[in-house]
PDB file of all heavy atoms in Angstrom:
ATOM      1  N   PRO X  36      53.462  22.267 105.722  1.00 91.00           N
ATOM      2  CA  PRO X  36      54.290  23.408 106.045  1.00 91.00           C
ATOM      3  C   PRO X  36      53.745  24.657 105.608  1.00 91.00           C
ATOM      4  O   PRO X  36      53.105  24.911 104.565  1.00 91.00           O
ATOM      5  CB  PRO X  36      55.652  23.184 105.470  1.00 91.00           C
ATOM      6  CG  PRO X  36      55.432  22.206 104.378  1.00 91.00           C
ATOM      7  CD  PRO X  36      54.193  21.427 104.770  1.00 91.00           C
ATOM      8  N   GLU X  38      54.978  27.297 104.274  1.00 92.00           N
ATOM      9  CA  GLU X  38      55.524  27.846 102.925  1.00 92.00           C
ATOM     10  C   GLU X  38      54.711  27.204 101.826  1.00 92.00           C
ATOM     11  O   GLU X  38      54.965  27.652 100.663  1.00 92.00           O
ATOM     12  CB  GLU X  38      57.030  27.699 102.910  1.00 92.00           C
ATOM     13  CG  GLU X  38      57.502  26.233 102.866  1.00 92.00           C
ATOM     14  CD  GLU X  38      57.822  25.676 104.335  1.00 92.00           C
ATOM     15  OE1 GLU X  38      57.339  26.282 105.309  1.00 92.00           O
ATOM     16  OE2 GLU X  38      58.416  24.685 104.344  1.00 92.00           O
ATOM     17  N   CYS X  39      54.034  26.198 102.020  1.00 93.00           N
ATOM     18  CA  CYS X  39      53.357  25.460 101.005  1.00 93.00           C
ATOM     19  C   CYS X  39      51.828  25.891 100.921  1.00 93.00           C
ATOM     20  O   CYS X  39      50.915  25.251 100.291  1.00 93.00           O
ATOM     21  CB  CYS X  39      53.327  23.993 101.145  1.00 93.00           C
ATOM     22  SG  CYS X  39      55.073  23.336 101.056  1.00 93.00           S
ATOM     23  N   LEU X  70      51.914  27.444  94.784  1.00 95.00           N
ATOM     24  CA  LEU X  70      51.837  26.232  95.730  1.00 95.00           C
ATOM     25  C   LEU X  70      52.892  26.493  96.787  1.00 95.00           C
ATOM     26  O   LEU X  70      52.934  25.928  97.903  1.00 95.00           O
ATOM     27  CB  LEU X  70      52.051  24.958  95.039  1.00 95.00           C
ATOM     28  CG  LEU X  70      51.009  24.607  94.007  1.00 95.00           C
ATOM     29  CD1 LEU X  70      51.279  23.500  93.251  1.00 95.00           C
ATOM     30  CD2 LEU X  70      49.665  24.635  94.663  1.00 95.00           C
ATOM     31  N   GLU X  71      54.030  27.236  96.402  1.00 92.00           N
ATOM     32  CA  GLU X  71      55.089  27.635  97.207  1.00 92.00           C
ATOM     33  C   GLU X  71      55.481  28.989  96.586  1.00 92.00           C
ATOM     34  O   GLU X  71      55.147  29.279  95.463  1.00 92.00           O
ATOM     35  CB  GLU X  71      56.193  26.674  97.299  1.00 92.00           C
ATOM     36  CG  GLU X  71      55.908  25.413  98.059  1.00 92.00           C
ATOM     37  CD  GLU X  71      57.087  24.361  98.135  1.00 92.00           C
ATOM     38  OE1 GLU X  71      58.197  24.792  98.242  1.00 92.00           O
ATOM     39  OE2 GLU X  71      56.792  23.233  97.962  1.00 92.00           O
ATOM     40  N   TYR X 109      55.796  20.635  90.118  1.00 91.00           N
ATOM     41  CA  TYR X 109      57.021  20.439  90.820  1.00 91.00           C
ATOM     42  C   TYR X 109      58.030  19.651  89.984  1.00 91.00           C
ATOM     43  O   TYR X 109      57.645  18.622  89.239  1.00 91.00           O
ATOM     44  CB  TYR X 109      56.810  19.549  92.128  1.00 91.00           C
ATOM     45  CG  TYR X 109      56.248  20.366  93.110  1.00 91.00           C
ATOM     46  CD1 TYR X 109      54.762  20.565  93.370  1.00 91.00           C
ATOM     47  CD2 TYR X 109      56.912  20.876  94.230  1.00 91.00           C
ATOM     48  CE1 TYR X 109      54.171  21.302  94.325  1.00 91.00           C
ATOM     49  CE2 TYR X 109      56.394  21.653  95.251  1.00 91.00           C
ATOM     50  CZ  TYR X 109      55.021  21.792  95.331  1.00 91.00           C
ATOM     51  OH  TYR X 109      54.452  22.575  96.268  1.00 91.00           O
ATOM     52  N   VAL X 111      60.823  18.406  91.485  1.00 86.00           N
ATOM     53  CA  VAL X 111      61.138  17.234  92.332  1.00 86.00           C
ATOM     54  C   VAL X 111      60.049  16.877  93.068  1.00 86.00           C
ATOM     55  O   VAL X 111      59.502  17.643  93.835  1.00 86.00           O
ATOM     56  CB  VAL X 111      62.314  17.843  93.354  1.00 86.00           C
ATOM     57  CG1 VAL X 111      62.687  16.776  94.285  1.00 86.00           C
ATOM     58  CG2 VAL X 111      63.612  18.425  92.502  1.00 86.00           C
ATOM     59  N   PRO X 112      59.629  15.580  92.868  1.00 78.00           N
ATOM     60  CA  PRO X 112      58.382  15.166  93.562  1.00 78.00           C
ATOM     61  C   PRO X 112      58.553  15.125  95.185  1.00 78.00           C
ATOM     62  O   PRO X 112      59.585  15.055  95.721  1.00 78.00           O
ATOM     63  CB  PRO X 112      58.376  13.712  93.118  1.00 78.00           C
ATOM     64  CG  PRO X 112      59.286  13.569  91.961  1.00 78.00           C
ATOM     65  CD  PRO X 112      60.280  14.574  92.075  1.00 78.00           C
ATOM     66  N   ARG X 113      57.476  15.464  95.717  1.00 87.00           N
ATOM     67  CA  ARG X 113      57.401  15.493  97.166  1.00 87.00           C
ATOM     68  C   ARG X 113      56.153  14.683  97.456  1.00 87.00           C
ATOM     69  O   ARG X 113      55.175  15.104  98.143  1.00 87.00           O
ATOM     70  CB  ARG X 113      57.044  16.889  97.657  1.00 87.00           C
ATOM     71  CG  ARG X 113      58.179  17.922  97.249  1.00 87.00           C
ATOM     72  CD  ARG X 113      57.923  19.264  97.760  1.00 87.00           C
ATOM     73  NE  ARG X 113      57.872  19.226  99.250  1.00 87.00           N
ATOM     74  CZ  ARG X 113      57.608  20.455 100.041  1.00 87.00           C
ATOM     75  NH1 ARG X 113      57.418  21.505  99.277  1.00 87.00           N
ATOM     76  NH2 ARG X 113      57.508  20.241 101.304  1.00 87.00           N
ATOM     77  N   GLU X 114      56.352  13.346  97.382  1.00 89.00           N
ATOM     78  CA  GLU X 114      55.253  12.509  97.509  1.00 89.00           C
ATOM     79  C   GLU X 114      54.603  12.414  98.811  1.00 89.00           C
ATOM     80  O   GLU X 114      53.315  12.276  98.975  1.00 89.00           O
ATOM     81  CB  GLU X 114      55.699  10.958  97.128  1.00 89.00           C
ATOM     82  CG  GLU X 114      55.957  10.832  95.614  1.00 89.00           C
ATOM     83  CD  GLU X 114      54.768  11.270  94.679  1.00 89.00           C
ATOM     84  OE1 GLU X 114      53.600  10.910  95.041  1.00 89.00           O
ATOM     85  OE2 GLU X 114      54.996  11.826  93.701  1.00 89.00           O
ATOM     86  N   GLU X 115      55.303  12.493  99.914  1.00 89.00           N
ATOM     87  CA  GLU X 115      54.765  12.452 101.191  1.00 89.00           C
ATOM     88  C   GLU X 115      53.752  13.752 101.445  1.00 89.00           C
ATOM     89  O   GLU X 115      52.777  13.639 101.904  1.00 89.00           O
ATOM     90  CB  GLU X 115      55.889  12.529 102.320  1.00 89.00           C
ATOM     91  CG  GLU X 115      55.255  12.233 103.645  1.00 89.00           C
ATOM     92  CD  GLU X 115      56.460  12.010 104.678  1.00 89.00           C
ATOM     93  OE1 GLU X 115      57.280  11.275 104.404  1.00 89.00           O
ATOM     94  OE2 GLU X 115      56.343  12.713 105.740  1.00 89.00           O
ATOM     95  N   TYR X 116      54.281  14.833 100.974  1.00 89.00           N
ATOM     96  CA  TYR X 116      53.506  16.093 101.071  1.00 89.00           C
ATOM     97  C   TYR X 116      52.344  15.971 100.208  1.00 89.00           C
ATOM     98  O   TYR X 116      51.204  16.326 100.531  1.00 89.00           O
ATOM     99  CB  TYR X 116      54.351  17.303 100.577  1.00 89.00           C
ATOM    100  CG  TYR X 116      53.522  18.572 100.340  1.00 89.00           C
ATOM    101  CD1 TYR X 116      52.893  19.166 101.425  1.00 89.00           C
ATOM    102  CD2 TYR X 116      53.331  19.025  99.069  1.00 89.00           C
ATOM    103  CE1 TYR X 116      52.275  20.355 101.198  1.00 89.00           C
ATOM    104  CE2 TYR X 116      52.638  20.175  98.789  1.00 89.00           C
ATOM    105  CZ  TYR X 116      52.022  20.764  99.936  1.00 89.00           C
ATOM    106  OH  TYR X 116      51.290  21.906  99.727  1.00 89.00           O
ATOM    107  N   PHE X 117      52.364  15.479  98.911  1.00 91.00           N
ATOM    108  CA  PHE X 117      51.313  15.347  98.077  1.00 91.00           C
ATOM    109  C   PHE X 117      50.203  14.356  98.706  1.00 91.00           C
ATOM    110  O   PHE X 117      48.992  14.630  98.630  1.00 91.00           O
ATOM    111  CB  PHE X 117      51.703  14.824  96.749  1.00 91.00           C
ATOM    112  CG  PHE X 117      52.598  15.574  95.817  1.00 91.00           C
ATOM    113  CD1 PHE X 117      53.560  15.174  94.985  1.00 91.00           C
ATOM    114  CD2 PHE X 117      52.472  17.002  96.010  1.00 91.00           C
ATOM    115  CE1 PHE X 117      54.288  15.969  94.281  1.00 91.00           C
ATOM    116  CE2 PHE X 117      53.246  17.915  95.228  1.00 91.00           C
ATOM    117  CZ  PHE X 117      54.334  17.261  94.401  1.00 91.00           C
ATOM    118  N   GLU X 118      50.552  13.352  99.329  1.00 91.00           N
ATOM    119  CA  GLU X 118      49.575  12.502  99.963  1.00 91.00           C
ATOM    120  C   GLU X 118      48.885  13.180 101.001  1.00 91.00           C
ATOM    121  O   GLU X 118      47.658  13.069 101.242  1.00 91.00           O
ATOM    122  CB  GLU X 118      50.300  11.200 100.595  1.00 91.00           C
ATOM    123  CG  GLU X 118      50.808  10.278  99.572  1.00 91.00           C
ATOM    124  CD  GLU X 118      51.723   9.118  99.972  1.00 91.00           C
ATOM    125  OE1 GLU X 118      51.857   9.039 101.240  1.00 91.00           O
ATOM    126  OE2 GLU X 118      52.320   8.441  99.119  1.00 91.00           O
TER     127      GLU X 118
END
Side-chain angles (χ1 to χ4, degrees):
E38 64 270 13
C39 296
L70 302 175
E71 293 184 34
Y109 285 83
V111 177
R113 298 181 63 181
E114 290 306 322
E115 189 173 312
Y116 167 69
F117 294 149
E118 290 171 11

